[in-house]
Amino acid sequence: MAATKTRTSSFSRNLSGANSPQITGLKHGPNGTMFVSSGIPDLDKILGGGFSLGSLVMVMEDAEAPHHMLLLRNFMSQGLVHNQPLLYASPAKDPRQFLGTLPSPAVAKDEKSSHRDPDQEKGLRIAWQYKKYFGENQQGFGSQNSKYEFCNNFDLRKPLERQFLTGNRIDCASILDSPNLATLQARCTTFLSQFPSDGNISCVGRIAIQSFCAPQCRYSNMEWDMLSLLRSLKSMLQVSNAVAVVTFPPSLLSSSSSTRWQHMADTLLSVKAIPDEDKELATLLTSYQDMVGLLNVQKVAQINTQVPVILDATTFSIKLQKRRFLALECLNQAPVDGPSGISYGSSGSCSGSSKIGSLDF
């Protein structure tokens, strides 16, 4: 009797690779799902582990602010840090210049201490019997742990080191002057052919396509052709050990095409800018002054299961911690004392009374 071939669909994936050895930048999930990091620790936690291997992630852009670039940069940098091949397509003339804006992984505190000057370390007043804990063993462990971390925390002010940008693992394509999408589809097919899903995962690939339906592209009015490419890309990803992130401005598409694109995504995210000096929003949300935008999780990939993923929250605030690190937090409503409209923080009463006076216990 002939052996039956494993069937692969949008919610079913070959499980033969579940017993493969641990690979840098790859994490095992439930039901045989494999995850790659998005480059944002908070987003990985929200999605249950990261981006599912073999999935198509689409990000809906905001016309007023380029917040989608924050997600795209971290996704690309995380792959390069893990030595994963990258295909980057952009409507710019020279997409390789964008690589110079990628952030660098932050250096952990223990790694900084491991590279301390030995002359300076001698001056520290530490008991000699504890010096063995700060020797070569700790230095080797700290450097290896930071190097093979599943998700790094990236410093947006520090550019990625040049050593990660050299080599043949980065392929950049300009979609600005292409009369049609045949060239881009051929590049994606050639790139994904390097990562077949045959059960043995030796390497993982990443595809990043920026502003797919940008108006400066010559094919921007070919909505059916763009939809056909997305459908082809999704089918190739399902049988490949790769993940693709595609950003697009939905306002430039017709309502029917925008709905079809959103339905095509395995994981669908959207970003939105926060209006400056929105007094109503400032009174409703805490830490409003620290927010730079909003992230909405509209769909989460379902691989090897038909049970829907139910999130505790779908809208999160985008913040820059210390103006360097990208963080996502749940929206918290500011407490208000009944109809008076006075917050608890401005009241002098511990019981929540709006009257100003002595503390009431």
Side-chain angles (χ1 to χ4, degrees):
M1 184 176 180
T4 58
K5 186 177 180 181
T6 304
R7 186 177 180 183
T8 305
S9 66
S10 59
F11 56 85
S12 176
R13 187 173 175 83
N14 192 353
L15 299 178
S16 57
N19 297 326
S20 59
Q22 185 66 29
I23 301 176
T24 304
L26 198 62
K27 184 172 66 174
H28 294 269
N31 304 318
T33 307
M34 307 294 287
F35 290 111
V36 297
S37 176
S38 63
I40 306 174
D42 293 334
L43 184 57
D44 289 348
K45 294 178 183 178
I46 294 171
L47 299 178
F51 293 151
S52 301
L53 193 65
S55 63
L56 173 62
V57 182
M58 303 193 70
V59 181
M60 302 170 63
E61 304 176 4
D62 187 3
E64 298 181 359
H67 292 328
H68 63 280
M69 304 299 293
L70 298 174
L71 307 181
L72 201 63
R73 287 190 179 100
N74 283 36
F75 172 76
M76 296 170 61
S77 295
Q78 188 66 78
L80 295 179
V81 168
H82 288 157
N83 199 24
Q84 297 171 351
L86 171 68
L87 172 61
Y88 171 61
S90 168
K93 275 191 175 182
D94 187 7
R96 189 164 288 272
Q97 293 183 355
F98 181 75
L99 302 179
T101 64
L102 299 182
S104 176
V107 180
K109 293 183 179 179
D110 55 353
E111 188 174 353
K112 290 182 179 179
S113 61
S114 64
H115 294 286
R116 189 185 293 117
D117 189 3
D119 296 334
Q120 184 180 2
E121 186 178 358
K122 291 180 181 179
L124 298 177
R125 296 181 178 273
I126 303 177
W128 65 270
Q129 60 267 31
Y130 295 107
K131 284 237 178 180
K132 59 183 178 180
Y133 298 108
F134 297 92
E136 297 178 356
N137 294 334
Q138 187 191 18
Q139 180 176 355
F141 176 79
S143 59
Q144 186 175 2
N145 187 29
S146 60
K147 182 178 180 181
Y148 297 102
E149 192 174 358
F150 174 74
C151 183
N152 295 92
N153 206 1
F154 289 92
D155 189 348
L156 300 179
R157 290 188 175 185
K158 183 179 179 182
L160 192 63
E161 297 180 5
R162 189 176 298 272
Q163 62 179 357
F164 296 110
L165 304 178
T166 57
N168 299 325
R169 53 185 176 172
I170 303 179
D171 185 13
C172 297
S174 176
I175 56 179
L176 179 62
D177 298 327
S178 300
N180 51 50
L181 297 170
T183 303
L184 179 59
Q185 185 169 0
R187 298 284 285 270
C188 293
T189 304
T190 304
F191 180 80
L192 293 176
S193 63
Q194 308 174 39
F195 319 101
S197 180
D198 54 1
N200 297 322
I201 305 177
S202 59
C203 190
V204 177
R206 298 193 180 211
I207 296 179
I209 302 178
Q210 173 191 346
S211 302
F212 184 43
C213 59
Q216 59 266 34
C217 298
R218 297 172 61 181
Y219 61 82
S220 58
N221 57 345
M222 304 177 183
E223 295 187 356
W224 281 106
D225 293 343
M226 292 186 288
L227 180 63
S228 177
L229 187 140
L230 291 176
R231 185 181 294 109
S232 176
L233 178 61
K234 182 176 180 178
S235 62
M236 289 187 294
L237 287 169
Q238 291 176 358
V239 293
S240 304
N241 294 322
V243 177
V245 175
V246 180
T247 68
F248 70 97
S251 59
L252 300 180
L253 298 172
S254 61
S255 58
S256 59
S257 295
S258 178
T259 303
R260 291 188 179 96
W261 284 36
Q262 298 175 35
H263 180 72
M264 193 67 59
D266 294 311
T267 299
L268 181 62
L269 309 174
S270 63
V271 291
K272 185 178 180 181
I274 295 181
D276 295 335
E277 298 181 358
D278 192 340
K279 296 182 179 180
E280 293 184 1
L281 197 60
T283 56
L284 291 176
L285 301 177
T286 59
S287 304
Y288 170 78
Q289 63 277 5
D290 300 330
M291 300 179 186
V292 296
L294 298 175
L295 173 71
N296 185 263
V297 182
Q298 301 190 13
K299 188 195 299 185
V300 180
Q302 303 175 29
I303 307 296
N304 302 330
T305 181
Q306 293 182 338
V307 179
V309 179
I310 301 177
L311 303 177
D312 296 334
T314 57
T315 304
F316 303 87
S317 62
I318 304 176
K319 296 183 178 180
L320 294 180
Q321 295 180 349
K322 301 179 181 179
R323 298 185 179 180
R324 289 177 177 268
F325 309 110
L326 191 62
L328 303 177
E329 295 182 1
C330 294
L331 297 179
N332 297 320
Q333 185 176 2
V336 177
D337 182 17
S340 61
I342 302 176
S343 67
Y344 291 130
S346 61
S347 175
S349 172
C350 291
S351 62
S353 175
S354 60
K355 298 180 180 180
I356 301 176
S358 60
L359 296 180
D360 181 15
F361 291 97

Short mmCIF file of all heavy atoms in Angstrom, two decimals, residues 60-68 70 270-278 281 288 291-296 316-318:
data_model
loop_
_atom_site.label_atom_id
_atom_site.label_comp_id
_atom_site.label_asym_id
_atom_site.label_seq_id
_atom_site.Cartn_x
_atom_site.Cartn_y
_atom_site.Cartn_z
N MET A 60 -1.61 46.41 9.01
CA MET A 60 -2.32 47.52 8.38
C MET A 60 -1.70 48.83 8.85
O MET A 60 -1.66 49.12 10.05
CB MET A 60 -3.80 47.45 8.74
CG MET A 60 -4.48 46.15 8.33
SD MET A 60 -6.15 45.95 9.00
CE MET A 60 -6.99 47.32 8.23
N GLU A 61 -1.23 49.62 7.89
CA GLU A 61 -0.52 50.85 8.20
C GLU A 61 -1.50 51.98 8.52
O GLU A 61 -2.69 51.93 8.17
CB GLU A 61 0.37 51.26 7.01
CG GLU A 61 1.36 50.20 6.59
CD GLU A 61 2.13 50.63 5.35
OE1 GLU A 61 1.93 51.79 4.89
OE2 GLU A 61 2.91 49.82 4.83
N ASP A 62 -0.97 53.00 9.17
CA ASP A 62 -1.70 54.24 9.42
C ASP A 62 -1.12 55.32 8.52
O ASP A 62 0.10 55.52 8.47
CB ASP A 62 -1.60 54.64 10.88
CG ASP A 62 -2.48 55.83 11.22
OD1 ASP A 62 -3.21 56.30 10.33
OD2 ASP A 62 -2.46 56.29 12.37
N ALA A 63 -2.00 56.01 7.80
CA ALA A 63 -1.53 57.02 6.86
C ALA A 63 -0.91 58.22 7.55
O ALA A 63 -0.15 58.97 6.91
CB ALA A 63 -2.69 57.48 5.97
N GLU A 64 -1.18 58.41 8.84
CA GLU A 64 -0.69 59.60 9.53
C GLU A 64 0.65 59.39 10.22
O GLU A 64 1.30 60.38 10.58
CB GLU A 64 -1.73 60.05 10.56
CG GLU A 64 -3.07 60.45 9.95
CD GLU A 64 -4.05 60.92 11.00
OE1 GLU A 64 -3.68 60.91 12.20
OE2 GLU A 64 -5.18 61.30 10.63
N ALA A 65 1.06 58.16 10.44
CA ALA A 65 2.31 57.91 11.16
C ALA A 65 2.89 56.58 10.71
O ALA A 65 2.15 55.62 10.48
CB ALA A 65 2.08 57.92 12.67
N PRO A 66 4.21 56.49 10.59
CA PRO A 66 4.86 55.24 10.15
C PRO A 66 5.15 54.28 11.30
O PRO A 66 6.28 53.80 11.44
CB PRO A 66 6.14 55.76 9.49
CG PRO A 66 6.50 56.97 10.27
CD PRO A 66 5.20 57.59 10.71
N HIS A 67 4.15 54.00 12.14
CA HIS A 67 4.40 53.12 13.28
C HIS A 67 4.63 51.68 12.84
O HIS A 67 5.20 50.90 13.61
CB HIS A 67 3.22 53.19 14.25
CG HIS A 67 3.10 54.51 14.96
ND1 HIS A 67 4.19 55.29 15.27
CD2 HIS A 67 2.01 55.18 15.43
CE1 HIS A 67 3.80 56.38 15.89
NE2 HIS A 67 2.48 56.35 16.00
N HIS A 68 4.18 51.34 11.64
CA HIS A 68 4.41 49.98 11.16
C HIS A 68 5.90 49.70 10.94
O HIS A 68 6.33 48.54 10.98
CB HIS A 68 3.65 49.75 9.86
CG HIS A 68 4.11 50.65 8.74
ND1 HIS A 68 3.71 51.97 8.63
CD2 HIS A 68 4.95 50.43 7.70
CE1 HIS A 68 4.27 52.51 7.56
NE2 HIS A 68 5.03 51.60 6.98
N LEU A 70 8.24 50.42 12.99
CA LEU A 70 8.79 49.91 14.24
C LEU A 70 8.68 48.40 14.31
O LEU A 70 9.62 47.70 14.70
CB LEU A 70 8.07 50.55 15.43
CG LEU A 70 8.19 52.07 15.58
CD1 LEU A 70 7.31 52.56 16.72
CD2 LEU A 70 9.63 52.48 15.82
N SER A 270 -2.86 45.83 13.24
CA SER A 270 -3.06 47.18 12.72
C SER A 270 -2.48 48.17 13.72
O SER A 270 -2.56 47.96 14.94
CB SER A 270 -4.55 47.47 12.47
OG SER A 270 -5.28 47.42 13.68
N VAL A 271 -1.90 49.24 13.19
CA VAL A 271 -1.32 50.29 14.03
C VAL A 271 -2.05 51.60 13.74
O VAL A 271 -2.53 51.83 12.62
CB VAL A 271 0.20 50.44 13.78
CG1 VAL A 271 0.95 49.23 14.28
CG2 VAL A 271 0.49 50.66 12.29
N LYS A 272 -2.09 52.44 14.76
CA LYS A 272 -2.80 53.72 14.63
C LYS A 272 -2.08 54.75 15.47
O LYS A 272 -1.66 54.48 16.58
CB LYS A 272 -4.26 53.57 15.08
CG LYS A 272 -5.10 54.82 14.87
CD LYS A 272 -6.55 54.59 15.28
CE LYS A 272 -7.38 55.84 15.06
NZ LYS A 272 -8.80 55.63 15.48
N ALA A 273 -1.97 55.94 14.91
CA ALA A 273 -1.34 57.04 15.63
C ALA A 273 -2.33 57.66 16.61
O ALA A 273 -3.54 57.63 16.41
CB ALA A 273 -0.84 58.10 14.66
N ILE A 274 -1.79 58.22 17.70
CA ILE A 274 -2.60 58.90 18.69
C ILE A 274 -2.58 60.39 18.39
O ILE A 274 -1.51 60.99 18.24
CB ILE A 274 -2.07 58.64 20.11
CG1 ILE A 274 -2.21 57.15 20.45
CG2 ILE A 274 -2.81 59.49 21.13
CD1 ILE A 274 -1.74 56.82 21.85
N PRO A 275 -3.74 61.04 18.29
CA PRO A 275 -3.75 62.48 18.02
C PRO A 275 -3.06 63.26 19.12
O PRO A 275 -3.14 62.91 20.30
CB PRO A 275 -5.25 62.82 17.95
CG PRO A 275 -5.94 61.51 17.72
CD PRO A 275 -5.09 60.47 18.37
N ASP A 276 -2.37 64.30 18.73
CA ASP A 276 -1.68 65.14 19.70
C ASP A 276 -2.69 65.94 20.52
O ASP A 276 -3.65 66.51 19.99
CB ASP A 276 -0.72 66.11 18.99
CG ASP A 276 0.39 65.37 18.28
OD1 ASP A 276 0.70 64.24 18.70
OD2 ASP A 276 0.94 65.91 17.30
N GLU A 277 -2.43 65.96 21.83
CA GLU A 277 -3.23 66.76 22.77
C GLU A 277 -4.73 66.44 22.67
O GLU A 277 -5.57 67.31 22.58
CB GLU A 277 -3.01 68.26 22.53
CG GLU A 277 -1.57 68.69 22.77
CD GLU A 277 -1.38 70.18 22.54
OE1 GLU A 277 -2.37 70.84 22.17
OE2 GLU A 277 -0.27 70.66 22.75
N ASP A 278 -5.03 65.13 22.66
CA ASP A 278 -6.42 64.70 22.71
C ASP A 278 -6.86 64.68 24.18
O ASP A 278 -6.57 63.75 24.93
CB ASP A 278 -6.55 63.31 22.09
CG ASP A 278 -8.00 62.92 21.85
OD1 ASP A 278 -8.88 63.52 22.49
OD2 ASP A 278 -8.25 62.02 21.02
N LEU A 281 -9.14 61.71 25.38
CA LEU A 281 -8.41 60.45 25.52
C LEU A 281 -7.44 60.50 26.70
O LEU A 281 -7.20 59.49 27.37
CB LEU A 281 -7.65 60.15 24.23
CG LEU A 281 -7.15 58.71 24.02
CD1 LEU A 281 -8.32 57.74 24.03
CD2 LEU A 281 -6.38 58.61 22.72
N TYR A 288 -1.12 58.43 29.33
CA TYR A 288 -1.38 58.84 27.95
C TYR A 288 -0.19 59.58 27.36
O TYR A 288 0.09 59.45 26.16
CB TYR A 288 -2.63 59.73 27.93
CG TYR A 288 -2.87 60.41 26.60
CD1 TYR A 288 -3.43 59.72 25.53
CD2 TYR A 288 -2.52 61.75 26.41
CE1 TYR A 288 -3.65 60.34 24.31
CE2 TYR A 288 -2.73 62.38 25.20
CZ TYR A 288 -3.30 61.67 24.15
OH TYR A 288 -3.50 62.29 22.95
N MET A 291 2.40 57.38 25.50
CA MET A 291 2.01 56.57 24.34
C MET A 291 2.43 57.24 23.04
O MET A 291 2.38 58.47 22.91
CB MET A 291 0.50 56.36 24.32
CG MET A 291 -0.06 55.66 25.54
SD MET A 291 -1.85 55.47 25.44
CE MET A 291 -2.21 54.79 27.06
N VAL A 292 2.83 56.42 22.08
CA VAL A 292 3.15 56.93 20.75
C VAL A 292 2.18 56.39 19.71
O VAL A 292 2.16 56.86 18.57
CB VAL A 292 4.59 56.55 20.35
CG1 VAL A 292 5.59 57.23 21.28
CG2 VAL A 292 4.81 55.05 20.35
N GLY A 293 1.40 55.39 20.05
CA GLY A 293 0.45 54.82 19.11
C GLY A 293 -0.32 53.68 19.74
O GLY A 293 -0.15 53.35 20.92
N LEU A 294 -1.18 53.06 18.94
CA LEU A 294 -2.00 51.94 19.37
C LEU A 294 -1.79 50.76 18.43
O LEU A 294 -1.66 50.93 17.22
CB LEU A 294 -3.48 52.32 19.41
CG LEU A 294 -3.89 53.44 20.37
CD1 LEU A 294 -5.35 53.78 20.19
CD2 LEU A 294 -3.60 53.06 21.80
N LEU A 295 -1.76 49.57 19.00
CA LEU A 295 -1.65 48.33 18.23
C LEU A 295 -2.88 47.49 18.49
O LEU A 295 -3.25 47.24 19.64
CB LEU A 295 -0.39 47.55 18.62
CG LEU A 295 -0.25 46.15 18.01
CD1 LEU A 295 0.05 46.26 16.52
CD2 LEU A 295 0.82 45.33 18.71
N ASN A 296 -3.52 47.05 17.41
CA ASN A 296 -4.71 46.23 17.52
C ASN A 296 -4.44 44.86 16.91
O ASN A 296 -4.00 44.76 15.76
CB ASN A 296 -5.90 46.90 16.83
CG ASN A 296 -7.19 46.12 17.02
OD1 ASN A 296 -7.60 45.34 16.17
ND2 ASN A 296 -7.84 46.35 18.15
N PHE A 316 -3.63 47.52 22.37
CA PHE A 316 -2.51 47.78 23.27
C PHE A 316 -1.87 49.11 22.90
O PHE A 316 -1.91 49.54 21.74
CB PHE A 316 -1.47 46.66 23.18
CG PHE A 316 -2.01 45.29 23.46
CD1 PHE A 316 -2.58 44.54 22.45
CD2 PHE A 316 -1.97 44.77 24.74
CE1 PHE A 316 -3.10 43.27 22.71
CE2 PHE A 316 -2.48 43.51 25.01
CZ PHE A 316 -3.03 42.76 23.99
N SER A 317 -1.30 49.74 23.89
CA SER A 317 -0.61 51.00 23.67
C SER A 317 0.85 50.73 23.32
O SER A 317 1.49 49.84 23.87
CB SER A 317 -0.69 51.88 24.92
OG SER A 317 -0.05 51.23 26.03
N ILE A 318 1.37 51.50 22.37
CA ILE A 318 2.77 51.41 21.96
C ILE A 318 3.54 52.49 22.71
O ILE A 318 3.23 53.68 22.59
CB ILE A 318 2.92 51.59 20.44
CG1 ILE A 318 2.06 50.57 19.69
CG2 ILE A 318 4.37 51.47 20.03
CD1 ILE A 318 2.08 50.75 18.19
#
